Amino acid sequence: MIWVDTVIQGVLLGGLYTLFATGLSLVFGIMRLVNLAHGDFIIFGAYVILVLVTWMGLDPFLAVLIAMPFMFALGYVLQIVMLNKVIGDEILPPLLVTFGLSIVVQNVLLEGFTADTQRIHAQELQIASVDLGVATVGVLPLLTFGSAILVIVILQQIFYRTSLGRAFRATSDDPVTASLMGIKTDNIFAIATGIAMVVVTISALYLGMRASFDPAIGPARLIYAFEAVIIGGLGSFWGTLVGGVIIGVAQVLGAAVNPEWQILSGHVAFIIVLLVRPRGLFPKAGL
Amino acid sequence: MSQSSKYSVETKTRTSSIFGICLILLVILAVFVPALVSRSVLQDLFFILTMLVLAQFWNLLAGYGGLVSVGQQAFVGIGSYIFFGAIILWGVNPVPAVLLGGLAALALAVPIAFFAFRLQGAYFAIGTWVCAEVTRLIVAQWKQVGGGTGTSMPRDARKEMWGSEWIAQVFDVRASAALDILAYWLALVLVVLTIGGIYWLLRTKRGLGLAAVRDNLEAAESVGVGATRMKWVVFLVSAFGTGLTGAIIYLQKARISPDAAFSLVDWTAFVLFIVVIGGIGTIEGPIIGVLVLFTLQSLFADYGTWYLILLGASGIFVMLFAPRGIWGMITDKTGLQLFPIRRRLTISNKNNEKKGNENG
């Protein structure tokens, strides 16, 4: 029975990784851009929420609502002034610019908040748990997993039910033809990055409430996110959920055998999946 | 093509010949530098030389091979760890152990390439990074060389290192300073071999194929360039060179830990900025880039995080506004080429030159 419990904890942890990965997946799906600063933006978001919670005494869930439009604006502006200029056939410019951003964000946070670990406190929520019969699970991990599913459902609705989503899909398929049809691709890309930053903010909230964080842990979150995206198959949101869950379960199982193996077993799971299915589990045609 | 003596294909220019002679003189001078400068200057030079080698190999990968790796710390790490392992566990002398470090990196590069070549572009980049993380996590389990906390080079090994006694006598210095001199010479040899080797490679037919693959994969393949084989060669050669450098760096440091030996910032981020700021896809670029990095470091290293913020911002700035780096701007203005690889058709009897294609 202990194994059932472990697997359930892993699945719930996978919810957090799915949240990390969804923003990355969204941006890659629409503009083929891999943002190497994605993990650092998650940590940045966590600090924004932390500031709102500790300095203004807000409830974390209220703080995240205030942080969302701020992060959206940040993503929008970043895309307009910087990232739109490096999107194209060449792979090096976007990689280097976002890698530079990653270094800058990390060190700005280090300068502003020192290397001390921080945590977003949410009182009773952090210790509350429910008995599911086979296992007792924390309310917070359950909420994280639920949020991941909700985020995916909303994104799917935006993608397939709205005119914005139509523009997203059109630009994703063929930016040149899309712009001939009157779609302002620069603006579409900026909105997409803005939305990705909103998802980043949500994942930052759960990251910050679940465990302590410091400015240096962003790159590792980027790697988990990336692994989840690749396992799921590029551009598939539900695939990303499966990818996140696989990484989460692998990590928790590894940690159950030997605590030092937690991170390693997540990576090994990723490598195995990729060796067996080079295009991920649910590849989308044409991507 | 060269049936007539009237035509010949050349890469040399007059400036490059003069520069070549200066370079040989500079290398000869560099050999005797340990007798002329203080120990701290020598350590600075060692830093410049080793970073230059790392930058040249990353440039070969990304600038010529189109393989943007952010996992080069895997090879620095494994090279230095096998170097330490060979000394501590098998009693190998540190100087030949450097070679074992390089070979270990070469061996590691085979599975990494097998895995990472399945990924394209940005995904290749993060794929190599994952491989580096995996290697770091496994090495951190290696208890005989100190596990997660690392270890120091045994005193005996430092004493008995080939050449160190001779250096100590000739230069009349202590054993620790002799170690710095030895490390400096090894780094110097590596720099000369690396730049010489890469320059030679780029001037051969294979180098031309490499440039063709970089510029247009499909077109290159259609004229018979084996792109996949080329990628393998470039990746393995870079891994070997990076592993050797890692071993030499830790020969000088004499203390190792997984977090330092597999550091993304030290062995990949710095290297990346050196190449980009200096000018990617050229041999001259990394040389300029490493001097820029060293200057920035001397001026701002005391400011810690601000130095890294400045470095990251400079990288972004260069990529946005001058993607070919400092050396790219210089060649645009002056047409100067110190390591010319562009093939030009010269007609000897008329003394006029026709330029070949831009990036040949």
Side-chain angles (χ1 to χ4, degrees):
Chain A
M1 274 327 250
I2 183 90
W3 291 107
V4 177
D5 182 58
T6 309
V7 169
I8 291 174
Q9 306 301 343
V11 170
L12 295 182
L13 177 62
L16 183 64
Y17 294 162
T18 306
L19 282 174
F20 291 165
T22 310
L24 200 67
S25 176
L26 175 72
V27 169
F28 182 84
I30 294 173
M31 60 192 106
R32 307 289 182 276
L33 174 82
V34 173
N35 184 356
L36 292 185
H38 185 75
D40 302 292
F41 281 126
I42 296 174
I43 308 305
F44 180 81
Y47 276 102
V48 171
I49 297 169
L50 181 78
V51 165
L52 291 171
V53 170
T54 49
W55 290 4
M56 300 175 67
L58 295 178
D59 182 85
F61 288 89
L62 187 62
V64 82
L65 288 180
I66 297 173
M68 274 179 189
F70 169 71
M71 292 291 279
F72 180 91
L74 182 72
Y76 190 95
V77 171
L78 196 70
Q79 187 70 36
I80 292 286
V81 302
M82 195 180 282
L83 300 179
N84 272 340
K85 296 192 167 55
V86 289
I87 293 178
D89 290 336
E90 281 193 76
I91 55 167
L92 198 62
L95 273 180
L96 286 176
V97 164
T98 56
F99 194 72
L101 263 181
S102 158
I103 302 282
V104 170
V105 172
Q106 259 178 63
N107 285 285
V108 165
L109 289 176
L110 199 59
E111 191 61 39
F113 296 94
T114 74
D116 295 347
T117 56
Q118 304 283 355
R119 191 158 184 182
I120 299 169
H121 291 284
Q123 276 81 38
E124 62 274 5
L125 185 63
Q126 268 151 340
I127 45 167
S129 63
V130 286
D131 194 351
L132 292 184
V134 284
T136 306
V137 296
V139 171
L140 189 61
L142 216 51
L143 209 56
T144 311
F145 194 81
S147 302
I149 291 183
L150 190 65
V151 163
I152 290 179
V153 169
I154 292 174
L155 283 179
Q156 290 278 7
Q157 293 297 317
I158 293 177
F159 254 68
Y160 295 102
R161 293 283 162 80
T162 67
S163 58
L164 176 66
R166 220 162 25 241
F168 278 162
R169 282 179 287 138
T171 353
S172 165
D173 289 343
D174 186 346
V176 177
T177 313
S179 66
L180 287 176
M181 299 296 123
I183 293 172
K184 295 192 183 78
T185 49
D186 277 3
N187 190 43
I188 289 298
F189 288 162
I191 292 174
T193 304
I195 294 176
M197 287 297 247
V198 169
V199 181
V200 158
T201 318
I202 297 169
S203 55
L205 171 72
Y206 290 113
L207 168 100
M209 289 198 297
R210 180 179 178 275
S212 51
F213 56 91
D214 65 73
I217 67 165
R221 311 307 115 173
L222 167 72
I223 289 186
Y224 304 154
F226 159 79
E227 289 175 339
V229 172
I230 298 266
I231 290 180
L234 304 177
S236 158
F237 288 130
W238 290 112
T240 302
L241 177 69
V242 175
V245 166
I246 288 177
I247 298 291
V249 170
Q251 283 193 0
V252 173
L253 283 179
V257 179
N258 179 345
E260 289 185 1
W261 293 353
Q262 179 181 351
I263 311 298
L264 187 59
S265 38
H267 294 327
V268 170
F270 163 68
I271 289 175
I272 291 172
V273 171
L274 209 58
L275 287 177
V276 181
R277 298 284 298 263
R279 296 186 62 213
L281 297 176
F282 309 100
K284 233 176 166 182
L287 263 176
Chain B
M1 291 291 214
S2 56
Q3 75 281 31
S4 148
S5 59
K6 272 161 73 181
Y7 302 98
S8 60
V9 174
E10 278 191 7
T11 53
K12 260 193 292 189
T13 62
R14 190 193 293 168
T15 5
S16 80
S17 307
I18 296 170
F19 174 74
I21 294 166
C22 294
L23 202 63
I24 292 168
L25 293 176
L26 188 69
V27 169
I28 294 171
L29 176 71
V31 173
F32 295 102
V33 151
L36 307 171
V37 301
S38 71
R39 196 173 161 197
S40 72
V41 173
L42 197 67
Q43 286 171 347
D44 287 344
L45 287 172
F46 177 78
F47 170 80
I48 291 175
L49 291 178
T50 47
M51 290 311 274
L52 179 57
V53 179
L54 293 180
Q56 288 291 355
F57 280 115
W58 191 80
N59 185 36
L60 181 67
L61 268 184
Y64 289 101
L67 297 166
V68 184
S69 159
V70 289
Q72 291 307 94
Q73 66 274 24
F75 304 120
V76 172
I78 199 72
S80 51
Y81 257 95
I82 295 298
F83 166 74
F84 262 69
I87 295 168
I88 293 171
L89 303 180
W90 313 314
V92 181
N93 192 285
V95 178
V98 167
L99 202 60
L100 288 180
L103 290 174
L106 182 66
L108 178 68
V110 175
I112 290 185
F114 178 74
F115 169 75
F117 283 177
R118 291 165 166 249
L119 303 166
Q120 299 298 319
Y123 286 85
F124 171 83
I126 310 186
T128 54
W129 190 358
V130 171
C131 292
E133 280 298 291
V134 169
T135 319
R136 177 178 68 85
L137 291 164
I138 292 172
V139 166
Q141 305 282 319
W142 191 7
K143 300 287 185 262
Q144 289 96 329
V145 288
T149 48
T151 187
S152 294
M153 199 189 289
R155 190 180 276 267
D156 295 349
R158 293 166 71 170
K159 265 192 191 155
E160 287 158 17
M161 204 178 301
W162 292 355
S164 68
E165 205 173 312
W166 181 80
I167 293 171
Q169 271 179 4
V170 171
F171 289 87
D172 191 24
V173 289
R174 283 197 218 156
S176 54
L179 183 78
D180 279 350
I181 294 174
L182 182 67
Y184 166 82
W185 276 342
L186 287 174
L188 186 64
V189 170
L190 196 57
V191 164
V192 171
L193 290 179
T194 302
I195 295 183
I198 290 177
Y199 186 43
W200 170 80
L201 174 74
L202 293 177
R203 283 167 43 125
T204 60
K205 204 167 132 192
R206 191 155 289 168
L208 195 60
L210 196 60
V213 170
R214 173 196 62 188
D215 293 341
N216 190 330
L217 178 71
E218 283 79 17
E221 281 185 325
S222 74
V223 293
V225 178
T228 313
R229 218 178 109 220
M230 208 73 91
K231 279 183 173 181
W232 272 93
V233 170
V234 166
F235 194 78
L236 294 185
V237 167
S238 300
F240 179 63
T242 305
L244 285 178
T245 318
I248 294 176
I249 289 171
Y250 280 89
L251 179 141
Q252 195 262 348
K253 286 189 194 280
R255 153 128 205 105
I256 199 168
S257 74
D259 288 347
F262 288 89
S263 162
L264 173 73
V265 171
D266 288 349
W267 313 128
T268 295
F270 281 161
V271 165
L272 223 126
F273 291 131
I274 288 174
V275 176
V276 170
I277 293 171
I280 193 163
T282 62
I283 294 178
E284 297 91 338
I287 300 176
I288 291 182
V290 78
L291 295 177
V292 171
L293 179 86
F294 178 73
T295 313
L296 287 178
Q297 198 166 52
S298 319
L299 292 175
F300 300 109
D302 294 342
Y303 299 93
T305 51
W306 286 110
Y307 160 62
L308 286 166
I309 293 171
L310 180 72
L311 204 61
S314 319
I316 295 173
F317 181 85
V318 168
M319 213 65 240
L320 286 177
F321 301 107
R324 291 177 56 228
I326 296 174
W327 185 252
M329 288 194 284
I330 294 175
T331 37
D332 283 349
K333 286 245 164 62
T334 63
L336 195 64
Q337 281 193 311
L338 300 183
F339 293 96
I341 51 168
R342 181 186 299 168
R343 288 156 179 79
R344 294 166 309 132
L345 189 66
T346 54
I347 303 164
S348 46
N349 64 341
K350 280 185 179 173
N351 258 349
N352 59 353
E353 295 180 346
K354 276 185 182 174
K355 280 195 174 171
N357 64 329
E358 266 292 304
N359 295 310

